[in-house]
Amino acid sequence: MGRDFYKKIFQGIIMVEKTGNKIFNKFNSASLMQATYLASENFQLRALFEAKDDILNNGKYNEINFYRILDGLLDAETERKLIIDALKNKDPLLMEEIIELIDLPYENVIYNIIYIKEQGFIKEIVEEEKTKKEVNGETKVETTLIYKYILNNFSNGFKENFFEPVSIVFDSGYCCNCGWCSSVCPLDAIKVSSDNLEIDQDLCIKCGLCYSVCPRSFSIDQVYNNLYQTNKSLQFSNKIGFYRSSYSGHTTNENIEEVKQDGGVVTALLEYLLANNLVDAIVAVQHSEDLWKPEPVIVDEISDLYKTAGTKYANSPSLNIIDQTKIYDRIAVVGVPCMMKALFKGALFPASIPFFTNIKIKIGLFCMESFSYDNIINLVKDKFEKELSDIVKMNIDKGKFIVNLTSGEELKVPLKEVQSYARDTCHYCDDLTSDFADISVGSIGSQAGWSSVILRSEEGEKIYMDAVKSGLIKSKKLTEVKPGKFLVEKIGGIKRKKCKPIRWKEI
Ligand SMILES: Cc1cc2nc3c(=O)[nH]c(=O)nc-3n(C[C@H](O)[C@H](O)[C@H](O)COP(=O)(O)OP(=O)(O)OC[C@H]3O[C@@H](n4cnc5c(N)ncnc54)[C@H](O)[C@@H]3O)c2cc1C
Ligand code: SF4
Ligand code: SF4
Ligand code: SF4
């Protein structure tokens, strides 16, 4: 079975116009062959390969897509086996020391180490380092966590961890209903709604792809920190993540002005992207037939974009529809932080290539929490004695939950009074500002009618600055407005502190 399987995979991989992976040039052919052979034993590769006919019949991935994923997976697994080989008989090592040891691009070493840990091959050892610091004449002790990695002991019948389908995430109460697993699943076995997740066990081939990409399965904090901490063009705050620059902006477009939530920066950026042919379509959210119930939507016309503006505080499983964007070469995706993390994770794992290569720009919103649709109805009834049809706008500002009525009246209650209506899963979320997006936008930090904007990637920064140059957005530095970046960091820090840890042992 082994040799046959191995041969067939390579025959298929030739189809994806493989030009030879230069990453492996520095390894001698014997160790590379051995690593590739071991890699072909991987459970995900086998499960996928054996289900090839069913996957192609399902139609989500065509034969080229299928072998592209398999090729990526085989390369990534080969890299992992080379790393495992290099770690044999070594003491616990820092990530930087492992990077020095292995002739692979440093970013590949970083994400593969974390993946190998999840597969059970290596152990993470966390040590505390205490340093004394003089602050205003007082001596303070600062604790830094140091992460080291060592191979596990293979002598006692070691077995690679199999990744379970994501029902494990949902059944444990950790699923945030982003919908990403459903788009990725090659057999369309997963149905995600705003409050449910179901897996068709007859279709599921236990490939574990859904688990690899799920933002709630295993943590990628160490990947994120290690990947960006050496990038000199980035600033870092442990409360709002890595970023290049930050601004406060508002749109100058009157159409957007009428429908926007805060500064209309999100819709203005989306308009800029479509108008300048930088993307072909956008994944956003509009009202469904049920008022205030969000419905994910693919938009390729500017006039339809205006229907998506404004915040709907009920959660939307927007990433469900990413697989329907295949007809477009380049898309932008708008979503809350958990969705941005899902897309980032899916571009790294399991194959270090994105499942949908057409995602060009990710616009992440700030998000303290979201509500189930039923709880939005309850909240409006209980706290304001109103129906959803009475409401024209909902907003969270200066610690208050605010509703604007059709009558023109504005009502507000303290945010802490509505917190019990928030979804329980949001209590496991530590990201306020969409750390994993290209561009993050929220209201905290800016004056009413303006949006705070955090630019994280080079592409994100260029798009925003070009939209400002075009006159579509007015912009000031976030450090030059009140309350500004200070408040974004403060609330970001509060969310990190309040976040409950995910504990799989409690399942
Ligand atoms: C659930 C939720 C909670 C939020 N909590 C905070 C907060 O605590 N603090 C803060 O500063 N900002 C928060 N925001 C962001 C804020 O409400 C605005 O979306 C942001 O300031 C952008 O304003 P804008 O005028 O530029 O956006 P607009 O130009 O009005 O565009 C809004 C965009 O948001 C998208 N959208 C609307 N509802 C959803 C949804 N449910 N899921 C995914 N996308 C959606 C739309 O598709 C549209 O593209 C939250 C947003 C959401 C969706
Ligand atoms: S990918 Fe998203 S929808 Fe799927 S299990 Fe994970 S959190 Fe839930
Ligand atoms: S549900 Fe998950 S494990 Fe099952 S086939 Fe789909 S992606 Fe694979
Ligand atoms: S609080 Fe976190 S989990 Fe909840 S909707 Fe916002 S980003 Fe997603």
Side-chain angles (χ1 to χ4, degrees), residues 184-336:
V184 165
C185 175
L187 287 147
D188 284 323
I190 313 178
K191 298 269 168 293
V192 181
S193 66
S194 56
D195 57 3
N196 199 16
L197 181 147
E198 274 174 39
I199 297 190
D200 185 333
Q201 295 302 339
D202 293 337
L203 291 178
C204 175
I205 53 164
K206 310 269 185 286
C207 66
L209 289 191
C210 51
Y211 186 86
S212 304
V213 302
C214 169
R216 289 295 176 87
S217 57
F218 55 89
S219 167
I220 50 166
D221 290 355
Q222 284 310 305
V223 179
Y224 178 71
N225 289 332
N226 281 293
L227 274 183
Y228 296 120
Q229 69 194 2
T230 51
N231 186 334
K232 296 267 182 301
S233 51
L234 294 175
Q235 304 179 55
F236 174 70
S237 147
N238 59 7
K239 296 163 181 134
I240 61 169
F242 290 95
Y243 62 100
R244 303 172 77 83
S245 51
S246 56
Y247 295 90
S248 179
H250 84 89
T251 182
T252 56
N253 179 316
E254 283 175 10
N255 294 321
I256 302 175
E257 187 68 34
E258 281 172 26
V259 286
K260 69 184 180 131
Q261 182 70 17
D262 296 309
V265 167
V266 173
T267 310
L269 286 171
L270 298 176
E271 172 160 346
Y272 181 80
L273 289 168
L274 279 179
N276 290 282
N277 196 23
L278 297 172
V279 299
D280 311 306
I282 276 142
V283 171
V285 164
Q286 66 183 21
H287 285 277
S288 65
E289 281 174 9
D290 298 318
L291 202 57
W292 292 105
K293 186 169 189 172
E295 176 181 85
V297 63
I298 300 167
V299 176
D300 57 10
E301 298 281 344
I302 289 174
S303 54
D304 290 333
L305 206 53
Y306 304 139
K307 295 181 207 150
T308 66
T311 300
K312 297 96 193 158
Y313 282 97
N315 70 298
S316 155
S318 294
L319 303 185
N320 257 337
I321 61 169
I322 298 290
D323 65 318
Q324 293 167 31
T325 66
K326 280 184 300 188
I327 53 165
Y328 299 103
D329 288 338
R330 301 153 310 160
I331 64 161
V333 181
V334 181
V336 284

